[in-house]
Amino acid sequence: MKLKNKYIALAAVGVVALTSCSDVLNVDAPSQNNATMVYSSTEFATDAINGVYVLFGEDPYSSRMMGVWMQNTDVEAMGPNAGLPSAHRSSVWSLQGPALESFNDVYNVWNNNLQAIERANQVRAGIDGSPIGNSEEMQQIKGEATCLKAFRYYLMCGIFGDVPYYDEAAKWGDLIDKPRTDRNVIYSRVLQQLVDIEPNMKFSDVNTGGIERMNRDFAIGLIARLALFRAGYGKTVNNEMKRADEYLDVTADSLTVTYTDLNGNEKTAQTYTQYYQMAKDYCQKLIQLKPRALYANFDQSFVNEMNYTHDNNSEVLYEVAFVQNYGGDVGWSLGVPNTGSCAKGNTTAQVAVTPTYYMSFADTDTRRDVCCAKYAHANDTVAAARATAIYAGKWDRALAAKDLGSGSSKGTGINFPLMRYSDILLMLAEAENELNGPSALAKEALTQVRARAFAGAADYDDQVTTYVSNLNSKEDFFNAIVDERAWEFGGEGLRKFDLIRWNLYAKKIEETLRTMICWGISTEEDLLNDASVMATYPEAANYVNWANKLWYAKSGTANKKTDIKWYNQKFKITEDDASMTADGWQSVNWGSDCIKKVTTYTYNGTDYTACTKTSNADGSTTYVLGVEPSQVTVQVAAGDKSGITRHQKFQSSDYATRLFRGYAGGALKGSGIVPYLIPINITTLNASSVLNNDGYGFSATDMGEGVNIDIATIDKENY
């Protein structure tokens, strides 16, 4: 059930803003804010909870937190512009958070989350005090409020780290200027609230609104997800990546959650291992209470969203319900680019994926060409994309079932999934492996996900049966889960937070950069033949079959990706460029985009940035050095030496360098601690007497333009 426009006006009922400069809460008089009236009927309570949902439609969520800010990782990554960082979203991409302290978007994101949390707390309090609060419908609404609050803290802790925690709704006389609370305390407290309300909620197939409202299916899954985050790593005020067990007394009440499993056993979660057990228990709870199959086709969930349809008790557990023209940037900032004059409007596509992510997929994995769009639309014509311009491909406004209009941009009304059933399976596999190693249970859960990805493939047995059966150590199985979550959820904004909780962010950044460098080296024969280069980058030999360019031809007029016929999808071809061009094929840069080549020429002690070389009929050679108006022509007789030396300097590409430049300038010299947190905005700090940005590594963040890694300089004398 989509949120109706009228709810925007009703959203202010019982709402208190948490950005006032006053330490003491100032609210409307009771006669103006009558909670008894609001929560004396489910209709009014529904209006109040819609005031929480409606905040998803505002830019801080739909244009920022939903996807744009969930970069740069080894999966989703957007290349920042050149130059020093400024108050711009590209500073988020490049991991240069301190540049954002005065950025208004940070202020708005902070407020949007705290406003949603306060509204959710108001709903919870209102229902607790309602004469009909124990009714089935009111408990469901309280459950939705609890889920919404927990999800907003999940976002805040991933973006800002430790943040103020508001356990209850603000009341007259309350102090709302609160310091940061450790993220592990926040996870524990919202988990306990979820555990307490979840049994009273309705499953999506019986709840009003289905998967477009938070439901019991999603609540169980959210408990499992947050339990994994409570078990995982995060940045401390001392700029260290630690689990709670390493620096907190986890036996404290504030860090303890009690729950009852499906067998009626009461359990306590305190240590990280116990929280893994909690995640496993809740994944199994959903599987036992509401089992379901994955869609036969991987893209079906996203096709449904593009068609504005949904299935309850199916693969999607909950998706944010956007209303056309009133919110939702799926198909605007997130999805395949549509530029120029397009029948269904334009995009400002700002969620891309790395070329190494595309190349990581097995050739027969059906997820690759859904997650990765190596095409774009311009003037309702499809075009091939180069390796550094692959966008998240799960949504494409050109395929939207509704006529969005040629003048449309934001507000597509296309829904966005917050959790799919495959997430439950992979969380179960991860938790079980952590507790008991790669057991039959863990392998079966992983197999279900891979079986769909390779359905019908000629190498199904190799990619599914053999692949999973060979994962016989805890470490190997964990690494397989890390990979599988990348392949399954690309573009859905989960990777960044996953890497943080695994404490793998730095490792994956370094792997991505090095792979791009080695791939680039493999496209240059001179580098492959240079012993010093290969001694430093020996693994470049592993990529010699990766393509330096892809060849394609266009056919059809349907403006779909199927209009592009690819000659090669991933690997090099044996045909030369001339024959391919003669046969009508076009090319787009692929691995060659992963390396930067700067060429200069020296003649008589002077350096030139350009040189054209022409072989004449009499065997002589003509060289033209430099550019107008300062050109020099050198005529060399047949058999004579030119005296010109060509210098080719090879470096990491600008694209690769900029992606993670806040992490030691992108020069593969990081400390292992990624500066992923964003500081609290200066306006918020000025309004508070207790909040600050001390610690968390902000002052140590690299604020430069990034460092291109020098690979080699190869000279050719008498060029």
Side-chain angles (χ1 to χ4, degrees):
M1 182 178 70
K2 300 274 190 178
L3 299 181
K4 302 301 181 183
N5 195 27
K6 67 179 182 179
Y7 295 139
I8 297 175
L10 293 166
V13 175
V15 170
V16 179
L18 296 177
T19 57
S20 169
C21 61
S22 174
D23 288 352
V24 180
L25 179 66
N26 185 11
V27 299
D28 295 334
S31 61
Q32 296 174 296
N33 188 8
N34 194 326
T36 302
M37 177 193 72
V38 173
Y39 297 101
S40 61
S41 73
T42 56
E43 181 181 2
F44 277 115
T46 299
D47 290 344
I49 193 64
N50 284 336
V52 190
Y53 281 110
V54 78
L55 294 173
F56 278 134
E58 295 185 355
D59 273 2
Y61 178 75
S62 63
S63 288
R64 300 295 182 268
M65 292 179 282
M66 189 177 72
V68 173
W69 279 16
M70 298 303 178
Q71 306 176 96
N72 280 357
T73 72
D74 58 331
V75 174
E76 295 102 341
M78 192 74 183
N81 294 325
L84 295 174
S86 60
H88 188 266
R89 65 183 63 92
S90 65
S91 297
V92 178
W93 301 333
S94 58
L95 301 171
Q96 294 172 307
L100 301 172
E101 192 173 66
S102 60
F103 188 25
N104 199 52
D105 278 10
V106 175
Y107 178 73
N108 292 336
V109 162
W110 179 271
N111 290 347
N112 179 270
N113 278 316
L114 285 185
Q115 189 174 37
I117 289 164
E118 172 58 19
R119 291 184 183 186
N121 276 336
Q122 291 280 358
V123 172
R124 284 172 46 82
I127 290 175
D128 285 346
S130 168
I132 60 170
N134 290 326
S135 69
E136 186 178 90
E137 289 299 325
M138 293 293 267
Q139 285 295 292
Q140 167 61 28
I141 294 170
K142 181 180 178 182
E144 293 178 42
T146 307
C147 287
L148 286 161
K149 172 184 177 179
F151 182 73
R152 289 301 189 139
Y153 268 123
Y154 159 79
L155 291 174
M156 288 197 82
C157 290
I159 294 170
F160 298 104
D162 302 336
V163 296
Y165 179 62
Y166 297 91
D167 193 58
E168 298 177 345
K171 301 180 291 295
W172 179 266
D174 283 355
L175 294 176
I176 63 170
D177 186 17
K178 294 187 176 183
R180 294 179 187 256
T181 299
D182 188 280
R183 71 185 188 284
N184 291 292
V185 172
I186 296 174
Y187 290 144
S188 301
R189 301 285 37 89
V190 296
L191 272 168
Q192 190 65 68
Q193 291 179 350
L194 283 169
V195 165
D196 293 343
I197 193 63
E198 170 266 314
N200 298 339
M201 296 182 69
K202 297 180 181 180
F203 287 109
S204 62
D205 55 353
V206 295
N207 184 42
T208 301
I211 62 171
E212 291 190 312
R213 300 193 78 91
M214 292 191 172
N215 49 67
R216 192 178 181 189
D217 319 48
F218 176 71
I220 294 173
L222 186 58
I223 290 171
R225 178 182 290 180
L226 290 176
L228 290 179
F229 275 81
R230 173 61 179 78
Y233 292 86
K235 185 172 287 193
T236 69
V237 67
N238 295 324
N239 194 34
E240 298 173 317
M241 294 296 292
K242 289 186 175 181
R243 286 182 163 128
D245 304 55
E246 298 178 80
Y247 69 102
L248 296 173
D249 177 9
V250 295
T251 64
D253 289 344
S254 61
L255 290 161
T256 300
V257 174
T258 58
Y259 66 99
T260 303
D261 67 15
L262 269 182
N263 297 320
N265 301 313
E266 184 171 298
K267 294 184 177 179
T268 299
Q270 294 177 326
T271 67
Y272 81 88
T273 302
Q274 290 168 336
Y275 276 100
Y276 270 109
Q277 182 65 52
M278 184 179 184
K280 174 187 172 181
D281 287 341
Y282 274 88
C283 288
Q284 289 184 301
K285 183 174 187 176
L286 181 61
I287 291 169
Q288 291 180 42
L289 293 179
K290 277 292 180 179
R292 63 201 73 189
L294 299 177
Y295 283 125
N297 297 320
F298 174 68
D299 66 349
Q300 189 60 56
S301 297
F302 318 110
V303 169
N304 289 350
E305 287 153 4
M306 299 299 300
N307 288 336
Y308 302 89
T309 62
H310 61 270
D311 294 332
N312 299 322
N313 193 33
S314 193
E315 183 166 345
V316 175
L317 305 185
Y318 169 74
E319 58 188 23
V320 180
F322 291 116
V323 179
Q324 189 176 349
N325 299 324
Y326 288 100
D329 279 16
V330 180
W332 161 246
S333 62
L334 176 58
V336 181
N338 284 253
T339 58
S341 178
C342 296
K344 293 192 176 180
N346 299 127
T347 64
T348 178
Q350 292 176 14
V351 180
V353 298
T354 64
T356 53
Y357 173 60
Y358 174 90
M359 297 295 284
S360 73
F361 284 90
D363 297 345
T364 53
D365 193 330
T366 58
R367 296 172 294 191
R368 184 191 68 186
D369 293 337
V370 177
C371 294
C372 309
K374 58 180 188 292
Y375 70 98
H377 305 280
N379 299 314
D380 279 339
T381 301
V382 70
R386 61 199 301 169
T388 53
I390 310 173
Y391 284 84
K394 289 176 175 174
W395 305 273
D396 183 350
R397 72 184 298 133
L399 304 179
K402 290 184 178 180
D403 183 5
L404 300 174
S406 60
S408 63
S409 56
K410 297 168 65 68
T412 62
I414 299 168
N415 286 359
F416 181 72
L418 291 193
M419 187 174 292
R420 296 188 287 113
Y421 192 63
S422 55
D423 201 350
I424 299 296
L425 296 172
L426 292 180
M427 287 193 292
L428 173 60
E430 178 185 344
E432 169 65 6
N433 180 64
E434 180 66 28
L435 296 166
N436 301 308
S439 66
L441 175 64
K443 289 185 175 183
E444 170 56 26
L446 175 58
T447 296
Q448 287 186 56
V449 176
R450 287 189 69 82
R452 193 256 302 272
F454 293 94
D459 60 347
Y460 177 92
D461 286 341
D462 290 340
Q463 294 293 349
V464 181
T465 308
T466 302
Y467 176 89
V468 175
S469 66
N470 286 341
L471 299 171
N472 293 320
S473 74
K474 183 176 179 179
E475 181 182 6
D476 287 347
F477 194 89
F478 171 73
N479 290 334
I481 290 296
V482 171
D483 290 341
E484 205 67 37
R485 289 187 67 84
W487 296 322
E488 182 73 13
F489 302 119
E492 295 179 57
L494 299 181
R495 188 62 170 181
K496 186 173 187 177
F497 288 4
D498 275 348
L499 292 179
I500 292 166
R501 70 178 177 87
W502 290 324
N503 195 20
L504 288 179
Y505 206 162
K507 180 181 178 181
K508 290 301 179 180
I509 282 176
E510 292 166 5
E511 287 178 357
T512 300
L513 284 172
R514 191 169 179 92
T515 299
M516 279 194 276
I517 290 171
C518 290
W519 185 9
I521 290 171
S522 76
T523 68
E524 295 288 341
E525 188 173 348
D526 286 343
L527 292 179
L528 288 172
N529 292 330
D530 188 299
S532 63
V533 171
M534 296 308 294
T536 305
Y537 300 99
E539 64 269 41
N542 299 332
Y543 306 108
V544 292
N545 291 324
W546 284 21
N548 62 332
K549 62 178 67 175
L550 295 187
W551 292 89
Y552 69 96
K554 290 175 59 177
S555 62
T557 58
N559 192 28
K560 297 181 179 179
K561 64 180 179 181
T562 52
D563 290 352
I564 300 178
K565 177 184 178 182
W566 296 93
Y567 190 87
N568 59 325
Q569 296 270 3
K570 183 175 177 180
F571 299 108
K572 286 180 181 176
I573 60 175
T574 57
E575 296 84 349
D576 61 36
D577 290 3
S579 64
M580 292 297 295
T581 302
D583 289 340
W585 294 93
Q586 303 176 65
S587 66
V588 62
N589 286 355
W590 210 239
S592 56
D593 270 354
C594 292
I595 198 165
K596 181 178 182 179
K597 181 165 56 178
V598 179
T599 305
T600 57
Y601 306 85
T602 302
Y603 180 70
N604 284 342
T606 302
D607 293 332
Y608 299 90
T609 58
C611 176
T612 59
K613 179 180 179 181
T614 305
S615 298
N616 304 315
D618 62 359
S620 66
T621 306
T622 302
Y623 297 85
V624 179
L625 296 164
V627 295
E628 290 286 3
S630 301
Q631 286 186 326
V632 173
T633 300
V634 178
Q635 194 73 31
V636 180
D640 289 351
K641 295 181 178 180
S642 69
I644 299 171
T645 299
R646 184 189 69 184
H647 311 279
Q648 285 193 318
K649 185 176 184 179
F650 295 90
Q651 299 176 309
S652 59
S653 68
D654 290 342
Y655 168 81
T657 296
R658 293 173 188 167
L659 284 183
F660 315 111
R661 64 189 182 200
Y663 180 65
L668 290 177
K669 297 178 181 178
S671 65
I673 305 295
V674 177
Y676 64 85
L677 293 180
I678 295 176
I680 302 171
N681 181 268
I682 192 67
T683 302
T684 303
L685 296 180
N686 289 339
S688 170
S689 62
V690 293
L691 288 173
N692 59 65
N693 285 323
D694 297 342
Y696 303 99
F698 290 133
S699 61
T701 300
D702 192 317
M703 299 302 291
E705 295 186 68
V707 179
N708 290 90
I709 299 170
D710 290 332
I711 299 169
T713 298
I714 298 178
D715 294 339
K716 182 176 182 180
E717 296 181 357
N718 298 308
Y719 167 68

